Amino acid sequence: MEGKVKPLVEQEKAVRRDSESLSDKKTAKKSEVFYSSVAYLQAGEDIKDISAMHKRGHLNKLLTTVASYDRGEAINLNSTFKSPLQNKGDELLRENKNYAVVYNSVVGGTYEVFRKVQAQEVKMNIERYGLSENSTNDVKQLYKANESRTQKQSDSSSLSPIMKRYTSMKEQHPDALLLFRVGDSYKSYNEDAVKASKHLGIELSSQQDGTKQVEFPKHELDTYLPMLIKAKERVAIVDQVENILHKQETQSKRQEEDVKLDNHRNPQKSSETIGATSDQQQKFIDDIKAAMGTTRMVVLPDFGTQKGVVAGTGEDKGISLSRVYAWNDNISFAGSVPGDDAQKRRYYHPENIRPEFYDYLVSEVKKAVAPQLITENGQKVTSANLYESPKQEGKYFFYARLDGVGLHPKAVKEKDVDAFMKNEISVKEMFAKYYPTKMAKQLDKEDFDSLKLSDGNELTKFRVYKQRNEEKSHFGEYLLYAEMGNKRFHVTPLSHDQLDAYFDRTQSKGQIAEKVIGEQLHLKSAYEKYKLSENIPVQEVRVRKVPEGDWLISASLGNKGQTPEHKVSNNDLYSLFKSKTATREQLAAKYLTEDIKELSRSKPLERSQGLKR
């Protein structure tokens, strides 16, 4: 046995060596390759054609065939490796740039199909779904390496002057809680901010770069300092260095003198823009970022024309600012001026904006990020409003941002548009109506992963995947695949509501499957949605078998006649006769609703007299 295993060990070394070589050669262009298992096939009757290809040596065709078992769902971190050879006896039969197939002769012979993915795709999968305890060691090592690299980049990246000062002072006084004087406030950062927040009861905020921060006005120092001392904290107050203050003061005076001199020479310019000092700009940046919190972009209502000139340049009269962006150490605004093309967007920074508008802009940002609604999951809803379609007059969409992330706009019914405009329907009611799964309570992981059905049975497999094969139907759409025992269920694409329930985790996987394939599972709940109209009296529903073997359904409306007959599917026949989870009336509602309505509008039939003989 050892003689057979040895070549496979050498093959594994070769695979790893080739992978490392590829990674070294293409580091700048292509990340490391991982192998993610997408199908495990047992040799036998089910895949006898694959076994035949293997025996004949048709390995290229075999690889193409087994690759078709990949349904395109997200990679499984529990079966993703740097090498496809993971078990004793594994043999790499064939691989190309997209797939690899491994054969193992143990236990009758198995074929395992691996999709080749880049390390970046594995990282993105971790970011989206998290790193589970069952993830492979290769995946965990990639995660640790990425975390370490990110931390190093963060540590080595350029820090703002205040954070450089904080880092330097913290190294000198590691056991002290540092309070930094910044303008009219005292601030603490990172670990000191956490402590200060706990002792003082002040809300902890985060800057865009992840820096934690606590802030209070300078005049409250006499209140908060004793509280920190009482909490047995050693406090160090850091004021600005005298020569730096003197330098800034000198620069400010020179700027004022230059402006006065220029105004004296050119009186007409006295009403033009006077630029903000560096201190004013920094405070403006800090105030905007504090108002935004962790949000990176805020949508603002167009303004500017009503308030005068916002930007400082002469050409930008009557500017309207529509968005503000927060960067690591700065902010910028996007806007436009009258006459601009609809697609054109101009960008402005604090130095472009007149200082007298700073407070106004800060207040507008605070209004924009103020939550209009908080969901049951604690998520903040902002910017919830209607807007008219630029392509179709009179068509409106409801749009909102959830924790700073824009949601997909929803087309609004005409009656709701009028009600919303008249304040007859609230933001909460609109949000609940057009984003119901965002309002519902999110299930915990255990409840969400439940595969139980209403009839007591349980699915053995559940997958939601995106069709990525352009040659197959429903390309680009999400599909559901499920198994129960030896039965497999393939379905049409999921609806938007079903996808929302899945991605927002407001229903269990079993409940979602029940809504999508309930009829295929012969569940009673699946047929409860089919109901005949109470306003149309149906006297009889008839299901009969014709000589050709098909079963047909029709309904009688008394003197109005009988509907045309429709063929009943085998699936519904089983639910009607075998599992008895569907009634004749429910099937009539499913197959004959339109015919019944049309027949109900017709004139009653006249009975003809029989001929006497």
Side-chain angles (χ1 to χ4, degrees), residues 399-447:
Y399 170 81
R401 299 183 71 81
L402 189 65
D403 283 348
V405 179
L407 301 178
H408 185 75
K410 300 284 188 174
V412 180
K413 297 179 180 178
E414 186 175 346
K415 64 176 183 179
D416 290 335
V417 173
D418 294 336
F420 190 78
M421 296 292 191
K422 297 176 181 177
N423 293 323
E424 295 174 353
I425 183 171
S426 67
V427 168
K428 183 176 182 179
E429 291 170 325
M430 286 287 288
F431 198 83
K433 187 169 186 177
Y434 291 98
Y435 297 106
T437 60
K438 304 295 183 185
M439 287 290 288
K441 185 69 175 175
Q442 191 177 69
L443 300 178
D444 59 34
K445 188 176 186 307
E446 183 178 354
D447 290 338

Side-chain angles (χ1 to χ4, degrees), residues 200-202 215-217 220-229:
L200 305 178
I202 300 176
E215 177 181 4
F216 60 83
E220 296 185 5
L221 179 64
D222 292 340
T223 301
Y224 288 127
L225 183 57
M227 294 172 66
L228 294 173
I229 301 300

